[in-house]
Amino acid sequence: MENLLRPLIVVGGSVVLTLVIGWATDFLLRKADERHHETPLWGLLRRGRIPYMLVLFAALLRGSYDEADLLPSRDEAIGRTLTLVLIGSTAWLVIRIAAAIVETSYSRYASARAHRDPARVRRVRTQVTLIMRVVSAIVGVVAAATMLLTFPAFRAAGASLLASAGILGIVAGVAAQSTLSNMFAGFQIAFGDMVRIGDTVVVDGEWGTVEEITLTFLTVHTWDERRITMPVSYFTSKPFENWSRGTPQMTGIVFWHVDHSAPVEAMREKLRDILRECPAWDGRAYNLCVTDSTPSTMQVRALVTAKDADDIWTVRVAVREQMIGWLADEHPYAMPRVNTADAILPPSRNGNSNGNGHRPSQDGVPAQQRRYHGNHSSGRPER
């Protein structure tokens, strides 16, 4: 009977104690979150309740398992398994706590500077993301190394591994040259402020927004819902356009090809009216002028401004569409067309020319309209 009750008491007591301590801790965190709405720390710490309970259970069971005497022949294997669970759950809990602290610090910083310096907020967000990835990688490597050291075979091989660490480091560095260059490029991007999460960029002719930055790759979310994944080393070795660098404000251009008789001044006034009704226009500036001329049309250019790349696209589309509709309705003669009119003759050398280029005829009859006069019966011209 004692052989049955002792394992039951040890295992059951560990489970009950873990649940009670976990519930009490979660209750205190929930109360603290309700009292302090200005900081998300307590609510974020609640995300670590599962690894926290795993740590409690593994620690309690590991410390009292010898008293249970459940499987004496398997004590070593079960003890090592509990140790591995304890190490893994501790690493998981450390990552959750670090994430909660970093996220809280970023939230306070972002709330204080969101309206004054959004570019700086995006930069800090990129740095925080990469720092958390580095912390997670370091904690994971340390936890894996600690787990391996629990095995006697790996512990004995540690001395030989350390002795050959120099050679292995050289070989690994040569083999992973591309990966290491991407990792260093990731740090350069994070702390060099070259590109940030949320920036609008143009890479290889593709326009999109930076959605994710890791130590090795970067994801661009394009306007048509595609994702372009590129190595971060691309952004440190090749030129690219960053439309959010410094300030997101932009100036856009709209072109029209219209007839030479188009009312440019009326188009300028219509542009002003269109922009006043367009919410995406930021009100900074606008302009309209003739920039080029061809034998059949002239080119009219409009300059408009907006607060970011998305709004400048909206403004350009609205101005182009409404101006064409207005010209077609109010000034159809201004639309480009193919000229099929008769050519106007140049003036004569003696200067005897009327206003339309036709030479005056004898007796006031234009030369183009003169007809031969003669014998109507014969139909021959009069000499």
Side-chain angles (χ1 to χ4, degrees), residues 5-15 60-61 64-68:
L5 288 178
R6 183 179 297 177
L8 185 62
I9 292 174
V10 171
V11 176
S14 299
V15 172
L60 291 173
L61 197 57
S64 59
Y65 182 78
D66 293 337
E67 302 296 331

Side-chain angles (χ1 to χ4, degrees), residues 217-268:
F217 68 89
L218 184 148
T219 303
V220 178
H221 185 193
T222 62
W223 65 272
D224 54 355
E225 302 297 331
R226 290 180 294 122
R227 265 77 175 179
I228 302 176
T229 301
M230 310 183 70
V232 293
S233 58
Y234 176 92
F235 293 87
T236 59
S237 59
K238 295 183 180 180
F240 64 96
E241 296 183 28
N242 188 343
W243 292 0
S244 303
R245 178 76 176 182
T247 171
Q249 295 176 345
M250 297 194 67
T251 300
I253 301 175
V254 182
F255 286 105
W256 297 279
H257 290 274
V258 296
D259 190 77
H260 292 91
S261 59
V264 177
E265 188 61 34
M267 292 179 65
R268 194 171 288 117

Side-chain angles (χ1 to χ4, degrees), residues 290-313:
V290 178
T291 56
D292 197 3
S293 178
T294 66
S296 58
T297 62
M298 64 178 179
Q299 185 185 69
V300 179
R301 184 197 68 182
L303 294 180
V304 293
T305 59
K307 64 181 179 63
D308 55 29
D310 291 334
D311 282 355
I312 199 64
W313 173 263

Side-chain angles (χ1 to χ4, degrees), residues 92-132:
W92 188 7
L93 180 61
V94 169
I95 293 174
R96 286 295 178 88
I97 294 175
I101 296 174
V102 171
E103 188 69 25
T104 301
S105 302
Y106 168 75
S107 298
R108 290 180 176 177
Y109 182 87
S111 61
R113 288 179 172 261
H115 300 289
R116 291 182 296 172
D117 194 357
R120 177 66 181 175
V121 172
R122 291 200 304 272
R123 177 184 179 182
V124 173
R125 180 61 179 174
T126 302
Q127 295 174 350
V128 164
T129 302
L130 291 179
I131 288 174
M132 275 309 307

